[in-house]
């Protein structure tokens, strides 16, 4: 037993510690890859099913034969309304949900909601499709806010495990400025390389299941007069029958079952392969600042001029992605080439986004504005070209130019998406308690952009392109102003994060923190001063408790001694002493 329990001669504590933290770093990389694949699977299933569903429901023959007077067109309209309109209120509840559930569990719950949407397609009715679409709208902003903060938090954790010997890491103090920048850039790039493949896999149901059932171009485009910038709406005159024969019901059930299986796979990926974003004590601290403060802080973070000036880019990133999927691909792609080439256009766009997301790694050597300005330059040129592009329908010779436009737009989208997420992560790299708030603001503005795209569906194409171009120019100007202020070291006005309210033997901290105070006004002290204040406050609370106990003991002792004979004698002597001759008491 002594040999077994005693110190081992071969045990090297430093080597074991090094191996332990190497396993921790590998675990962080596993978390990043697993969350990226989970998000990719979720959106592959969601977009693939939605595209197949809307194509089937658009066909008049399918509606009349399968569902007669059910009103699928009205159901689809309200379903899209639920998906696009509901996220507008996401700013009200997203931080509360993320703090209550935790980042990992929020991703898991949101993936379950997407799986619920898939399951409702087994029985297509108003009371199944519309409520599930509304719930998806509720989950969009929390899902993306938790994903963004999770990836950035993994970068912070990787730095902590790679520099575990540093004093500020061991004492769990705030990270030095710029310490984890390289990890944030790398992890955001990895995430978008994997996630953008969802556009590729989303086209599999369309290509494998519906492609052979679609009509040729001469039928679906027979009443279309023009395509491109000159049209109003989506595709005026597009034929209402796009299916030459209906797919078997059993085939559709089999496809939905496969998609349901992948949705469950995404849930299991988030549940089993993604580790927690924070330590248990940090999770408790994040919740303990008070639910009222958690509700208010996203609004108060808009005081930060960096976030305000990035809002146009947030909006543009939502506008451009939905425009290329639902605007360009239909009004240019399907209108010119026919519906059978839709899958090819989206697939090329997804591959382009995925490959060119690797270009964001250039930020390891170049300034951070390179990504955003490069993507904006590419999109600006393409928008001017699209404003002038008007083509006749059913022109297969334009396949090459449209594919080139798709590749270049994917290049701009990749630089835009990775650039915006990386810039937000870099600006708040040391503020791990603010990540969910800033990413909530980012994706909430994206949700506003999605709502705008939903509203403008019947507008002229040139008006849509003009709005996109104006938003892009405004975003570039605001970003230039932000970088100029940062270079001039203008201090941002960030709300103070209140201290966690922990109970200490029945007492609460006596000093209330005001989250309305901001850093730029001098209300937030340095980390060392905060630590000293906490220590002094703890000591003061303990001293008050000890003093209170002593006072209670003194009162008890006086009460117990009040009836003693010695106390009676002292009282009698005090009353009879110092009496003058005239009998007056002195």
């Amino acid at each position: 037993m002594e040999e077994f329990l005693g110190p081992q001669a071969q045990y090297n504590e430093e080597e074991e510690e090094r191996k332990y933290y190497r396993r921790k770093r590998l675990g962080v990389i596993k978390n990043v890859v697993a969350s990226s694949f989970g998000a990719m699977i979720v959106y592959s299933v969601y977009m693939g099913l939605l595209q197949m569903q809307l194509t089937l429901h658009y066909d008049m023959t399918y509606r009349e034969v399968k569902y007669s007077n059910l009103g699928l067109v009205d159901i689809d309209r309200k379903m899209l309304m639920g998906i696009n309109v509901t996220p507008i209120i996401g700013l009200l509840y997203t931080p509360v949900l993320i703090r209550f559930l935790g980042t990992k569990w929020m991703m898991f719950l949101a993936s379950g909601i997407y799986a619920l949407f898939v399951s409702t397609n087994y029985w297509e009715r108003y009371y199944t499709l519309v409520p599930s679409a509304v719930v998806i709208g509720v989950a969009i902003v929390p899902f993306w806010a938790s994903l963004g903060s999770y990836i950035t938090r993994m970068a912070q954790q990787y730095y902590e495990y790679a520099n575990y010997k540093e004093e500020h890491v061991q004492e769990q103090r705030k990270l030095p400025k710029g310490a984890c920048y390289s990890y944030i850039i790398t992890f955001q790039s990895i995430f978008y390389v994997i996630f953008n493949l969802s556009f590729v896999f989303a086209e599999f149901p369309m290509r494998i299941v519906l492609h052979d059932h679609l009509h040729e171009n001469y039928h679906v485009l027979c009443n279309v007069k023009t395509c491109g910038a000159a049209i109003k709406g989506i595709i005026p005159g597009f034929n209402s029958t796009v299916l030459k024969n209906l797919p078997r019901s059993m085939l559709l059930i089999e496809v939905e079952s496969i998609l349901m299986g992948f949705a469950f796979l995404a849930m299991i990926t988030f549940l089993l392969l993604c580790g927690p974003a924070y330590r248990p004590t940090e999770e408790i601290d994040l919740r303990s600042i008070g639910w009222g403060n958690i509700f208010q802080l996203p609004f108060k973070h808009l005081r930060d001029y960096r976030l305000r000036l990035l809002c146009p880019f947030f909006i543009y990133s939502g506008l451009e992605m939905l425009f290329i999927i639902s605007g360009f691909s239909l009004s240019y792609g399907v209108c010119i080439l026919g519906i059978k080439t839709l899958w090819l256009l989206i697939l090329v766009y997804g591959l382009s986004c995925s490959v060119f997301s690797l270009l964001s790694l250039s930020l390891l050597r170049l300034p951070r504005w390179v990504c955003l300005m490069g993507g904006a330059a590419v999109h600006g040129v393409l928008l001017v070209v699209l404003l002038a592009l008007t083509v006749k329908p059913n022109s297969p010779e334009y396949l090459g130019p449209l594919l080139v436009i798709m590749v270049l737009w994917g290049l701009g989208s990749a630089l835009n998406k990775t650039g915006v997420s990386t810039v937000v992560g870099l600006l708040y790299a040391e503020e791990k308690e603010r990540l969910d708030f800033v990413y909530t603001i980012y994706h909430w503005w994206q949700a506003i952009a999605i709502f705008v795209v939903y509203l403008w569906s019947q507008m002229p194409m040139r008006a849509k392109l003009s709005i996109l171009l104006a938003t892009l120019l405004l975003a570039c100007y605001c970003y230039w102003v932000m970088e100029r202020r940062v270079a001039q070291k203008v201090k941002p006005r960030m709300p103070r994060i209140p201290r966690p309210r922990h109970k200490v033997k029945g007492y609460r901290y006596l000093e209330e923190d005001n989250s309305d105070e901001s850093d730029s006004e001098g209300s937030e002290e340095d980390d060392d001063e905060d630590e000293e204040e906490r220590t002094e406050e703890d000591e003061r609370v303990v001293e008050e408790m000890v003093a209170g106990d002593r006072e209670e003991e003194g009162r008890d002792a006086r009460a117990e001694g009040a009836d003693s004979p010695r106390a009676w004698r002292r009282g009698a002597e005090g009353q009879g002493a110092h009496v003058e001759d005239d009998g007056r008491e002195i």
Side-chain angles (χ1 to χ4, degrees), residues 491-496 514 516-526 529-530 533:
K491 195 169 184 181
R493 185 187 177 194
M494 290 192 295
R496 180 174 182 140
N514 183 9
D516 285 328
E517 297 176 358
S518 59
D519 295 341
S520 59
E521 295 170 351
S523 62
E524 183 176 13
E525 294 82 1
D526 295 329
E529 294 177 358
D530 287 345
E533 285 183 3

Side-chain angles (χ1 to χ4, degrees), residues 219-293:
H219 177 81
V220 295
L221 300 176
C222 61
N223 296 321
V224 179
K225 304 302 180 185
T226 185
C227 300
I231 69 173
K232 180 180 180 180
I234 305 297
I235 310 177
F238 195 70
N239 204 317
S240 59
T241 55
V242 296
L243 300 174
K244 58 185 177 183
N245 49 42
L246 302 183
R248 294 181 296 106
S249 298
M250 200 62 199
L251 176 63
L252 297 179
I253 292 175
E254 290 171 359
V255 173
E256 290 165 3
S257 300
I258 293 172
L259 294 177
M260 192 70 196
F262 278 105
F264 276 121
L265 177 62
M267 293 178 63
I268 294 172
T269 301
F270 284 122
L271 179 64
L272 300 181
L273 297 182
C274 293
Y278 297 92
R279 302 181 185 92
T281 53
E282 290 174 332
E283 292 273 8
I284 295 172
D285 287 346
L286 291 175
R287 296 189 190 103
S288 300
I289 66 174
W291 297 109
N293 288 322

Side-chain angles (χ1 to χ4, degrees), residues 545-563 570:
M545 293 167 59
V546 172
D549 293 341
R550 289 176 179 172
E551 186 177 351
E552 290 178 2
E553 291 176 0
R555 284 199 298 267
D556 293 342
R558 287 193 297 271
E560 290 176 359
D563 296 332
R570 283 200 301 269

Side-chain angles (χ1 to χ4, degrees), residues 358-377:
L358 291 171
L359 292 178
S360 65
L361 294 175
S362 62
L363 297 183
L364 295 171
R365 294 288 181 268
L366 300 175
R368 66 187 175 200
W369 56 265
V370 172
C371 254
L372 284 176
M373 293 298 104

Side-chain angles (χ1 to χ4, degrees), residues 24 57 105 119 148 174 218 262 269 281 296 303 323 338 383 389 447 476 481 568 570 572:
K24 286 288 189 180
H57 292 184
W105 291 102
S119 67
K174 183 183 289 187
Y218 67 86
F262 278 105
T269 301
T281 53
Q296 298 173 35
R303 300 169 180 169
F323 168 76
L383 287 171
L389 184 61
C476 292
V481 172
W568 280 102
R570 283 200 301 269

